[in-house]
Amino acid sequence: MAAHLSSGRVNLTALREAGRRELREFLDKCAGSKAIVWDEYLTGPFGLIAQYSLLKEHEVEKMFTLKPGRLPQADVRNIIFFVRPRLELMDIITDNVRREDRGRSPQRDFHILFVPRRSLLCEQWLKEQGVLGSFIHREQYSLDLIPFDGDLLSMESESTFKECYLESDQTSLYHAAKGLMTLQALYGTIPQIFGKGECARHVANMMIRMKREFPGSQNSIFPVFDTLLLLDRNVDLLTPLATQLTYEGLIDEIYGIQNTYVKLPPEKFAPKKQGEGGKDLPTEPKKLQLNSAEELYAEIRDKNFNAVGSVLSKKAKIISAAFEERHHAKTVGEIKQFVSQLPHMQAARSSLANHTSIAELIKDITTSEDFFDNLTVEQEFMSGIDTDKVNNYIEDCIAQKHSLIKILRLVCLQSVCNNGLKQKVLDHYKREILQTYGYEHILTLNNLEKAGLLKLQTGGRNNYPTIRKTLRLWMDDVNEQNPNDISYVYSGYAPLSVRLAQLLARPGWRSIEEVLKMLPGPHFEERQQLPTGLQKKRQHGENRVTLVFFLGGVTYAEIAALRFLSQMEDGGTEYVIATTKLINGTTWIKSLMEKLEPAPF
Amino acid sequence: MSRARADEEEYWHSSKFRAFTFDDEDDELSQLKESKRAVNSLRDIVDDDDDDLEKVSWSGEPVGSISWSIKETASSSSSSLEGRDTSLQKGSSSYAALPKQVSSYSLSSLFKGRNRLPSLPSLSDAFSDTGVKNYAPELRRPRAEYKDYSNDWSPRDTVRRMQRGKVCSLERFRSLQDKMVLLDEAVAGHDGNVITAVLIFLKRTLRREVLFRELEVRQVALCHLIHFLKETGEQKLLLDLLRFLDRTEEVALSQYREHLNIQDVEKKREFLKGCIGLPFSAEDISHIQDHYTLLERQIIIETNDRHLAMAGQSEIFRKYPRKASILNMPLVTTLFYSCFYHYTEAEGTFSSPTNLKKTFKIPDKQYVLTALAARAKLRAWEDVDALLTTKNWLGYTKKKAPIGFHRVVEILQRNNAPVQVLQEYVRLVEDVETRLNLATKYKCHDVVIDTYRDLKDRIQLMAYKCKVERGSAEEEKINSLLSNMQIRWKN
């Protein structure tokens, strides 16, 4: 089930195991049979930690989704609410508890498990409703960093960027620091910390403070990570706005990957048995899990989409050849061997079928005229062409009422690539957007301005060209099939964030001091003392391990770029990636938009 | 106008940009087809029992996963069936249905009763359980209530304990100085949960002016309070605070945001009217004014049109019944509506397009685009013609399209304009390459022929002959051109 977590340089199964242990301990506190009422948002992340079987072993007999009204009948001793600490969820719980039949026997006990933190505000709220006393156990389950893959951890906290940069609420940074402390408890103290940005500085400070305040946390584990690099998302606002062009990135851009699952239109996944076909064509979306446990996916996920087709066709030939083998199997031994390989071959076949279908779906979109036009404009902006005037394509898109998020992504991209827009240009876009999509979006535009995604160019100087040239963010000769640089993930644009990581490893940030000063927030280095016995003596040729933590979100294309660096033969560094949330331009902009629909209840 | 296609192509190929297309000799599509074929051919060989391999239900949920089990266990419980099924099937992505926004009943209600209830429940009361109204059955006395209670923690210890999720009494921090030490400790701990808890305590125990003054020099705590007030919907206190801080633009926007919660249009209009006087930034104020004017206008139009539509006298409403009300629609949508239903009205009426154009200073380009789309949808080709015709002072008429004629053609084509109409505008597309492309695509033979003639391109003209019908007027035209000795062909 979790084999893919141990495939990387750092065995993340330990982290998952720690999470499972904590969960078991809590469940055992509530003696007897139980039903869990789920905050639906949590089922995805929890699914990465534990399956139903684990819960069942601990007497969880029923599971429901949290919603207002009377709780379903269930003959269990305990009802446990698994919720995020949010006031609107407390309202639902209150409603549930109030409607509980007092006369029923046996009575059911109520408990709350807050994920990831207990909230005093929520408890106060429950108390005001007069239901706080109904809960016997009120605990927290600190699901801070969830292992997604062998080299990937996420907090799946969707509002971190907004909270940090819009509301100046650093609570999720506190959770990030907590998560890092847990990680250090399991994998040893990380001797070197580098960072860039205000939030990075905060997290490093908190880590150092936490370490000081809990001297008992000094552990004697040999450090697995050599370096921690903390990066603020607002150091690189550009990258998530561009369309990701890796296979996994495009799947996310087009269909959205949630907790490693993707839902796809079912038409291309027709049922296998031809005879039965016809009437029962699937109408529900096809849901697939995507992670490195699937061999083929691990091979193609990080490739530029243009290089995926050739891999698939090669695979097809290999599999066909393997199945052909059966004709040559003459002896019983040979046949036996063939049969023993059959399950593996069948898995490979079904995996190939799935990815061929997905690739077809994606190709329909990437070959469309609009995708091409959109990409052209993005690439113009990123390479610094015509960023200072109103763009015709954007205007056309507004006129044709393309989705507002698409427009905002492009306008923000232009703004970032021009270090802000001229007053006239900014006013023009704003006006067109408000007139076409509604004046109330002025609130969203305001949020984007506050977050620095959309701004007025001040001082009349555009420093983006300097940054682009110094960090080599635009590469003319990109090789999508056999890449030699990270810029392949955006077919020409090398993600700034990953460039920073790359340059930190070699030759070091001293070489780019000037540019670092142009980017927002401080850059810094901290060292954490290790007891003498734990200091690493590096074997010759052994790679260093760096944990890169993206505060405010990371895209799949950036992850692909870091994996590319890990695999470089003379790279010398392997990367593990952590983040507050896996994002793409669309989900990111959405998180910054003002919620315009009033509450339905 | 977008860069002409031809230029774009040339620019694309000659410059450093890499198109996201597939090389011809290594065509991805054929590769995909190849692997698809392989996969399909293998179906015959492989039997169907690979269900053992992936224990996945059709929806893709691995059997035994949490979300799968919720469905399973829920559906086995009979009483949970009512209405549950739909919500369950949506899967976790549907979570968005639960709003973040806290509206009617919020924490603010706790404080509204301040004057009436002298002894207000505090955080520490959470464990003493006295004087609280019981709205709900207290099913069992929690054991947790009696543990872990001490009165003697220092500010730092208090904060640490709270960080660990334990509840401490804050009541004994009485002096302002103590309270501020506590707040600073909480801020230094960076745990928003604790900071907010302390702020709730301060908010309750300090006079508003004192609290504001102290927070002014504590930016982090201040941000938390603002965020908290927004979350809980304590609009009045929030506005007071922002005003105290002189953050006038935020006051304005925050107040303006309220309109989203108003359902009744009349009330919303009144509210927006009140917003006009708020201290918005210079750029924003005109938009707010426009928002008000637009809604005011929409209310008038809506009242009239609903009446008209119901009376059934007006042909346009009978023929094209309105699908939705125009209330709260964006300006451009409103303009489209007015071009559709009220095109010929005099400028004096509120619903006439020209009036909207003038009132909201809609740019020519936007106006023409919208009007064109509306009239083309009604297949009112004369209107289209008139819209694109300008007269100069000598009385000569000339066709002009601020959006470029290629866009005109696109819009007309989308509305199934007849070739005669289409042709007229294809002819006016300035860029030769684009014109030829469009003309060929939409079979405007005359335009193609004339263009090749003007280009003196005999070869292309000959080649085009096979695309027109045998014996048609077009073929004749080509023949006569080809035999015309006056033309100096370039090839």
Side-chain angles (χ1 to χ4, degrees), chain A residues 52 63 73 84 89 110 117-118 120 130 133 171 261 287 306 310 317 363 392 395-396 435 476 478 594, chain B residues 1 18 22 31 34 59-62 64 69 73 79 95 138 140 142 163 192-193 257 332 365 407:
Chain A
Y52 182 46
M63 305 220 273
Q73 293 293 326
R84 289 168 297 162
L89 300 180
F110 289 102
R117 293 290 319 274
R118 219 172 136 168
L120 300 166
T171 307
Y261 285 92
K287 198 169 167 190
N306 278 348
S310 62
K317 279 177 199 145
K363 207 178 143 49
N392 287 323
E395 272 205 309
D396 281 357
Q435 291 190 339
D476 289 332
V478 58
E594 202 67 32
Chain B
M1 237 183 297
R18 298 192 54 85
F22 303 92
Q31 287 173 340
E34 202 176 313
S59 68
E61 212 77 67
S69 319
T73 59
S79 70
Y95 192 76
E138 291 280 305
R140 189 137 324 166
Q163 280 184 352
N193 182 26
R257 179 182 290 112
V332 171
K365 220 166 144 179
R407 290 291 301 280

Side-chain angles (χ1 to χ4, degrees), chain A residues 38-41 43 50-52 61-63 65 72-73 84 88-89 98 102 107 109-110 117-121 124-125 127-131 133-136 138 167-169 171 174 202 206 209 213 258 261 263 269 272-273 282 284 287 304-306 309-310 316-317 319 323 346 349-350 353 356-357 359-360 363 373 375-376 379-380 383 385 392 395-396 399 401 431-432 434-436 438-440 442 446 476 478 594 598, chain B residues 1 3 5 11-12 16-18 20-22 28-29 31-32 34-36 38-39 42 45-48 50 54 58-62 64-66 69-70 73 76-77 79-80 83-84 88 90-91 93 95 98-100 106 110 121 123 125-127 132 135-140 142-143 160 162-163 165 188-193 197 200 223-224 227-228 253 256-257 263 284 287 290-291 330-333 360-361 365-366 369 407:
Chain A
W38 287 93
D39 168 356
E40 212 173 351
Y41 181 88
T43 58
Q51 297 289 288
Y52 182 46
E61 291 175 2
K62 302 271 180 206
M63 305 220 273
T65 12
Q73 293 293 326
R84 289 168 297 162
E88 70 269 20
L89 300 180
R98 281 188 189 161
R102 234 189 303 192
Q107 271 194 18
D109 286 348
F110 289 102
R117 293 290 319 274
R118 219 172 136 168
S119 149
L120 300 166
L121 182 56
Q124 167 82 353
W125 181 223
K127 173 165 180 49
E128 291 309 320
Q129 303 299 309
V131 296
S134 305
F135 297 98
I136 295 180
R138 297 189 300 269
E167 331 266 14
S168 301
D169 177 342
T171 307
Y174 175 79
H202 267 299
M206 280 186 270
R209 188 183 147 121
E213 286 181 359
Q258 278 180 352
Y261 285 92
K263 283 183 184 164
F269 299 89
K272 283 164 278 184
K273 299 167 198 171
E284 255 184 69
K287 198 169 167 190
N304 186 292
F305 184 61
N306 278 348
S310 62
K317 279 177 199 145
I319 294 178
F323 276 102
Q346 282 170 353
R349 203 255 332 165
S350 105
T356 305
S357 301
E360 280 180 335
K363 207 178 143 49
D373 290 346
L375 195 64
T376 310
Q379 300 205 333
E380 278 180 15
S383 53
I385 293 174
N392 287 323
E395 272 205 309
D396 281 357
K401 253 197 148 182
R431 191 184 175 81
E432 297 256 295
L434 296 177
Q435 291 190 339
T436 308
Y439 291 105
E440 60 277 17
I442 204 166
N446 232 275
D476 289 332
V478 58
E594 202 67 32
Chain B
M1 237 183 297
R3 203 194 310 263
R5 203 86 204 138
Y11 158 85
W12 187 260
K16 55 190 179 166
F17 294 100
R18 298 192 54 85
F20 195 69
T21 49
F22 303 92
E28 172 103 355
L29 196 66
Q31 287 173 340
L32 283 179
E34 202 176 313
S35 50
K36 185 93 180 167
V39 166
L42 291 174
I45 307 169
V46 188
D47 36 13
D48 306 310
D50 53 359
E54 354 154 14
W58 172 252
S59 68
E61 212 77 67
S65 78
I66 287 177
S69 319
I70 293 181
T73 59
S76 65
S77 141
S79 70
S80 69
R84 182 167 291 273
L88 281 166
K90 275 188 279 172
S93 63
Y95 192 76
L98 271 181
K100 192 177 150 63
S106 67
L110 316 188
L123 275 176
D125 294 337
F127 294 93
V132 186
Y135 300 101
E138 291 280 305
L139 293 170
R140 189 137 324 166
R143 294 187 281 278
R160 277 196 213 160
M162 285 164 73
Q163 280 184 352
H190 293 287
D191 184 348
N193 182 26
I200 295 174
C223 291
H224 275 273
H227 185 192
F228 162 72
L253 281 167
Y256 169 73
R257 179 182 290 112
Q263 298 299 324
D284 289 351
H287 297 308
D290 281 355
H291 191 176
L331 174 61
V332 171
T333 314
F360 295 95
K361 299 193 190 66
K365 220 166 144 179
Q366 183 78 268
L369 205 63
R407 290 291 301 280

Side-chain angles (χ1 to χ4, degrees), chain A residues 29-46:
Chain A
K29 270 188 194 165
C30 316
S33 58
K34 338 173 169 29
I36 295 178
V37 183
W38 287 93
D39 168 356
E40 212 173 351
Y41 181 88
L42 291 175
T43 58
F46 258 88

Side-chain angles (χ1 to χ4, degrees), chain B residues 311-365:
Chain B
Q313 300 295 312
S314 159
E315 196 192 331
I316 179 94
F317 286 106
R318 258 206 328 267
K319 221 165 150 190
Y320 305 95
R322 305 189 314 153
K323 290 197 183 81
S325 108
I326 194 63
L327 296 172
N328 295 318
M329 292 292 167
L331 174 61
V332 171
T333 314
T334 312
L335 178 64
F336 181 89
Y337 176 93
S338 121
C339 287
F340 196 89
Y341 290 110
H342 303 278
Y343 194 61
T344 50
E345 276 168 29
E347 199 188 309
T349 62
F350 280 138
S351 46
S352 88
T354 23
N355 190 306
L356 284 175
K357 180 174 190 266
K358 221 172 209 173
T359 311
F360 295 95
K361 299 193 190 66
I362 298 171
D364 252 1
K365 220 166 144 179

Side-chain angles (χ1 to χ4, degrees), chain A residues 366-464:
Chain A
T366 56
T367 48
S368 71
E369 197 176 333
D370 191 59
F371 186 87
F372 178 86
D373 290 346
N374 185 66
L375 195 64
T376 310
V377 172
E378 283 183 11
Q379 300 205 333
E380 278 180 15
F381 288 161
M382 290 190 288
S383 53
I385 293 174
D386 285 349
T387 50
D388 59 351
K389 44 185 175 212
V390 172
N391 182 282
N392 287 323
Y393 175 72
I394 297 181
E395 272 205 309
D396 281 357
C397 289
I398 295 176
Q400 293 169 43
K401 253 197 148 182
H402 286 211
S403 94
L404 177 59
I405 291 185
K406 174 186 175 173
I407 307 295
L408 294 175
R409 265 177 91 159
L410 283 169
V411 174
C412 289
L413 183 68
Q414 183 175 357
S415 170
V416 173
C417 291
N418 200 51
N419 192 24
L421 298 169
K422 287 181 185 157
Q423 183 85 57
K424 223 179 76 196
V425 179
L426 184 63
D427 287 350
H428 181 84
Y429 281 139
K430 274 190 175 176
R431 191 184 175 81
E432 297 256 295
I433 289 171
L434 296 177
Q435 291 190 339
T436 308
Y437 297 91
Y439 291 105
E440 60 277 17
H441 292 289
I442 204 166
L443 296 165
T444 293
L445 293 178
N446 232 275
N447 286 350
L448 294 174
E449 284 188 66
K450 247 193 201 165
L453 277 160
L454 195 61
K455 62 177 184 180
L456 192 65
Q457 197 182 74
T458 44
R461 242 188 73 77
N462 175 7
N463 59 19
Y464 176 70

